Amino acid sequence: MTEKVEILGVQVDSLTMRQAVEEVEKLIALKKNSIVATANAEMLMMATGDAELKKILNSAELVVPDGAGTVWAAHHLGKKMPERVAGFDLVQELMKIAPSKSIKFFLFGSAPGVAEKAKAKAEELYPGIKIVGTRNGYFKSEDEAEIISQIKNSAPDILLAALGVPKQEKWLAAHKKELNVPVSIGVGGTFDVMAGNVKRAPLWMQKAKLEWLFRALLQPSRAGRLVALPKFVWKVHASKNS
């Protein structure tokens, strides 16, 4: 069991990338329909005003600190948080070990054609990887039974859901038992980056903890989300002094 740090009412696991990969491997072995969440500052802020999301995060089997803001918050609260475990990087690390461990993936979400491109990229980067199915994230409620059936029949070990926050977390939680997948992870824009539709920040910006700024500059539609960052800093600071 890893140590947890409470940030704005959400319990976040304090662990390294290596430990996160090991924890996911353990969850696969347990086969008990687990949810893994990747908590950045934006998600944690969202959870302060969304009781359903907060409940899902606090009942998730693993909540990794995805983002410099989450790591900063833990340190500001005087808690240990060794490093950022970005969702995109966690997926790559899991895909890297997948061929030797026979871990199977299902890619669900993003615009039509994106999951297929991400699959092709994964097969190029990680020879021997088994991606047992793909499905785009454009669907109506009447399509859900068919999607669940497709995922279930493909029998993946890991379901990657790229539906955006909080839709992906709520969808996975609502259908957790029906899906019967050992590990389900909400992965946001991971498929878009893998497909080459969205660029990742240069390594120096990642190391300088400025990836959020790069994304905002690249996608002006995300600029509004930046407002959440100073609010997040203020809320964490207020929670420390309360």
Side-chain angles (χ1 to χ4, degrees):
M1 289 291 287
T2 61
E3 217 176 294
K4 289 183 181 278
V5 175
E6 186 176 316
I7 302 171
L8 301 183
V10 174
Q11 299 289 333
V12 181
D13 289 271
S14 172
L15 75 184
T16 63
M17 176 63 78
R18 187 178 171 184
Q19 287 172 317
V21 170
E22 286 169 359
E23 289 300 316
V24 172
E25 283 189 82
K26 285 179 198 169
L27 292 172
I28 291 170
L30 287 172
K31 297 188 178 197
K32 64 166 205 153
N33 307 347
S34 305
I35 289 178
V36 175
T38 57
N40 59 14
E42 191 183 335
M43 185 190 278
L44 293 170
M45 266 305 282
M46 215 178 272
T48 63
D50 186 332
E52 185 190 352
L53 176 61
K54 185 184 277 189
K55 188 179 175 186
I56 290 166
L57 294 177
N58 283 328
S59 61
E61 281 68 23
L62 188 65
V63 180
V64 300
D66 178 357
T70 308
V71 176
W72 167 84
H75 293 168
H76 189 67
L77 295 168
K79 305 291 183 182
K80 200 179 104 186
M81 186 75 76
E83 64 183 19
R84 171 187 177 217
V85 179
F88 177 87
D89 295 330
L90 177 59
V91 169
Q92 304 314 302
E93 292 298 321
L94 291 167
M95 286 184 164
K96 204 181 284 180
I97 63 163
S100 63
K101 311 233 173 183
S102 300
I103 296 171
K104 297 174 290 178
F105 292 83
F106 191 105
L107 276 48
F108 170 43
S110 294
V114 175
E116 287 75 15
K117 277 189 186 175
K119 175 180 185 278
K121 188 65 180 175
E123 288 167 345
E124 178 196 319
L125 291 173
Y126 313 109
I129 193 168
K130 289 179 184 170
I131 294 173
V132 293
T134 60
R135 173 64 162 82
N136 70 64
Y138 287 54
F139 60 92
K140 294 174 183 168
S141 54
E142 55 263 37
D143 304 323
E144 289 189 344
E146 186 197 331
I147 294 167
I148 290 162
S149 175
Q150 187 192 349
I151 294 168
K152 201 174 174 179
N153 293 337
S154 301
D157 298 295
I158 298 178
L159 167 61
L160 302 178
L163 304 174
V165 180
K167 186 179 179 180
Q168 58 197 22
E169 286 73 26
K170 292 183 179 183
W171 196 88
L172 291 173
H175 303 293
K176 190 175 175 180
K177 285 183 182 170
E178 300 163 82
L179 287 163
N180 198 28
V181 175
V183 174
S184 296
I185 312 175
V187 295
T190 292
F191 300 166
D192 287 301
V193 176
M194 288 185 75
N197 295 354
V198 174
K199 278 186 185 172
R200 188 104 198 262
L203 200 57
W204 72 266
M205 283 191 93
Q206 291 180 42
K207 286 182 175 172
K209 301 174 182 174
L210 291 171
E211 195 163 10
W212 57 272
L213 180 60
F214 179 82
R215 287 204 302 266
L217 293 170
L218 207 65
Q219 296 170 276
S221 61
R222 293 180 67 101
R225 301 181 185 187
L226 295 187
V227 180
L229 288 170
K231 284 184 182 173
F232 175 74
V233 169
W234 180 84
K235 264 193 179 288
V236 169
H237 189 64
S239 74
K240 183 185 180 180
N241 297 322
S242 62

